[in-house]
Amino acid sequence: MHHSDPSVLSIQENQSSTVTFILVGFSEYPDIQLPLFLLFLTIYTVTVLGNLGMIAIIRLSPKLHTPMYFFLSHLSFVDFCYSTVVTPKLLENLIVEDRRISFTGCVMQFFFVCIFVVTETFMLAVMAYDRFVAVCNPLLYTVAMSQKLCWSLVAGSYSWGIICSFVFIHFMLTLVFCGTKFINNFVCEHDAIVAVSCSDPFISQKVIFIFATFNELSSLMIILTSYVFIVITVMKMPTTGGRYKVFSTCASHLTTITIFHSIIICLYCVPTTKSSWLLVMVASVFYTVVIPMLNPLIYSLRNKDVKDAVKKLMCSSLSS
């Protein structure tokens, strides 16, 4: 359906400008709103400190100026951003009676969430490729993972995230929304927005399904291929010491990947019926609120280099 007629467009814009969404979120559970507020506030504080701390440590420690930590600092940046797009609004909705969000606000939130989720999906794939080069071609590593390539891979991840977002928004804005709509979530998530449109959302849902499936399959293929080669290489290693070091580095990465992808697959491949909204909401909490907190914790607590860097920085700041 093409809207070439300007009058149709202006009517549609008029409708959209008066549309308000109400984020139902956890309002059906009034007893647990305060505990949830405190829980999410704590998680958000840890997320911000953890991710910004991670970026600072990587910047300030010359020893961590390697491709792996360059990617990790971008992963932390993405986590910080998408947590910040979602959590403050979630916290506000837990304590304020008025849960309204404007049409523009909702679309913008979805737009940014989309950018950061897609970027993170491919950033994790890039990090798997980086580990593959480090383990399978250690002698060529610094040459193969040049600064130019690292920047290109990161820029590619962000660019693809932005392209996907624009495509989704384009198809979403061809839908007509009218009046006040209740969104069964605490975040303006595609399924939730589309579910309340007054026109048939079939094309918009198809488009996001095709893109989400492509993003999932392509990034998981890169990750699985990288790790198959890593395991083969590690198994050929003569010493157990070398094996342990490789596996401990990769274990933290695999933990993140497993949690992230299993939740996204659960969210987008489970058909949403009325009864599964709670499941969708819990999954949404996980991937928008909990995962951004887990990444810095997983990488820093499991990682000797990061711990050493923190000790060094603390010692130098204390001595000065």
Side-chain angles (χ1 to χ4, degrees):
M1 192 166 104
H2 289 285
H3 300 302
S4 51
D5 181 2
S7 62
V8 175
L9 269 176
S10 64
I11 292 167
Q12 210 176 319
E13 277 168 20
N14 286 345
Q15 279 181 322
S16 296
S17 62
T18 56
V19 170
T20 341
F21 290 128
I22 295 172
L23 292 168
V24 176
F26 298 96
S27 58
E28 289 162 19
Y29 311 96
D31 307 346
I32 58 166
Q33 296 215 312
L34 187 63
L36 281 178
F37 176 80
L38 296 170
L39 173 68
F40 291 146
L41 182 64
T42 310
I43 291 177
Y44 183 59
T45 310
V46 174
T47 304
V48 171
L49 295 175
N51 285 302
L52 296 181
M54 200 71 171
I55 295 170
I57 291 163
I58 292 168
R59 283 281 147 87
L60 295 169
S61 310
K63 197 186 168 189
L64 300 182
H65 291 181
T66 63
M68 175 175 153
Y69 291 104
F70 171 72
F71 296 133
L72 187 52
S73 65
H74 278 279
L75 186 72
S76 288
F77 174 70
V78 169
D79 278 335
F80 165 73
C81 289
Y82 92 87
S83 180
T84 302
V85 171
V86 175
T87 317
K89 187 72 189 165
L90 165 61
L91 291 171
E92 182 195 326
N93 284 350
L94 282 169
I95 46 169
V96 178
E97 280 301 300
D98 180 13
R99 295 192 177 81
R100 283 177 306 181
I101 181 169
S102 67
F103 181 77
T104 319
C106 212
V107 169
M108 289 308 285
Q109 191 189 46
F110 168 72
F111 178 71
F112 285 111
V113 165
C114 228
I115 290 179
F116 297 124
V117 172
V118 174
T119 304
E120 172 138 350
T121 308
F122 285 96
M123 206 71 83
L124 290 171
V126 165
M127 291 171 78
Y129 173 71
D130 168 68
R131 291 298 81 213
F132 156 71
V133 179
V135 174
C136 301
N137 298 327
L139 300 176
L140 292 173
Y141 180 63
T142 43
V143 182
M145 295 305 281
S146 64
Q147 210 169 3
K148 193 178 168 191
L149 179 66
C150 290
W151 273 110
S152 305
L153 290 170
V154 166
S157 300
Y158 284 115
S159 307
W160 181 242
I162 292 167
I163 290 168
C164 285
S165 267
F166 273 115
V167 171
F168 298 154
I169 291 288
H170 170 76
F171 282 97
M172 197 194 274
L173 294 181
T174 58
L175 300 174
V176 179
F177 295 90
C178 39
T180 301
K181 297 287 187 181
F182 289 89
I183 289 188
N184 267 319
N185 210 327
F186 61 85
V187 51
C188 290
E189 195 252 328
H190 184 267
D191 283 0
I193 300 176
V194 162
V196 297
S197 85
C198 308
S199 49
D200 182 21
F202 178 75
I203 295 176
S204 186
Q205 282 172 322
K206 253 291 162 277
V207 167
I208 202 159
F209 180 74
I210 292 165
F211 270 82
T213 310
F214 168 77
N215 289 346
E216 269 303 291
L217 291 177
S218 56
S219 61
L220 282 175
M221 279 302 296
I222 297 168
I223 290 165
L224 290 172
T225 313
S226 300
Y227 275 97
V228 166
F229 281 114
I230 287 173
V231 169
I232 293 169
T233 309
V234 169
M235 285 312 175
K236 288 181 188 164
M237 281 181 181
T239 57
T240 47
R243 273 186 203 178
Y244 174 75
K245 188 167 188 267
V246 171
F247 272 134
S248 71
T249 308
C250 295
S252 48
H253 189 174
L254 279 171
T255 314
T256 309
I257 289 168
T258 312
I259 298 170
F260 183 77
H261 282 281
S262 51
I263 287 167
I264 285 202
I265 289 168
C266 160
L267 257 185
Y268 282 98
C269 303
V270 175
T272 47
T273 56
K274 190 82 190 94
S275 58
S276 67
W277 273 117
L278 188 62
L279 174 77
V280 169
M281 223 157 63
V282 171
S284 301
V285 163
F286 254 89
Y287 95 91
T288 48
V289 182
V290 181
I291 288 180
M293 172 186 76
L294 290 181
N295 284 354
L297 292 178
I298 289 170
Y299 280 99
S300 56
L301 296 176
R302 289 197 52 98
N303 195 309
K304 191 173 174 296
D305 293 338
V306 174
K307 286 184 206 162
D308 290 347
V310 173
K311 280 179 199 155
K312 219 171 187 175
L313 287 171
M314 285 178 117
C315 292
S316 65
S317 64
L318 286 171
S319 62
S320 63

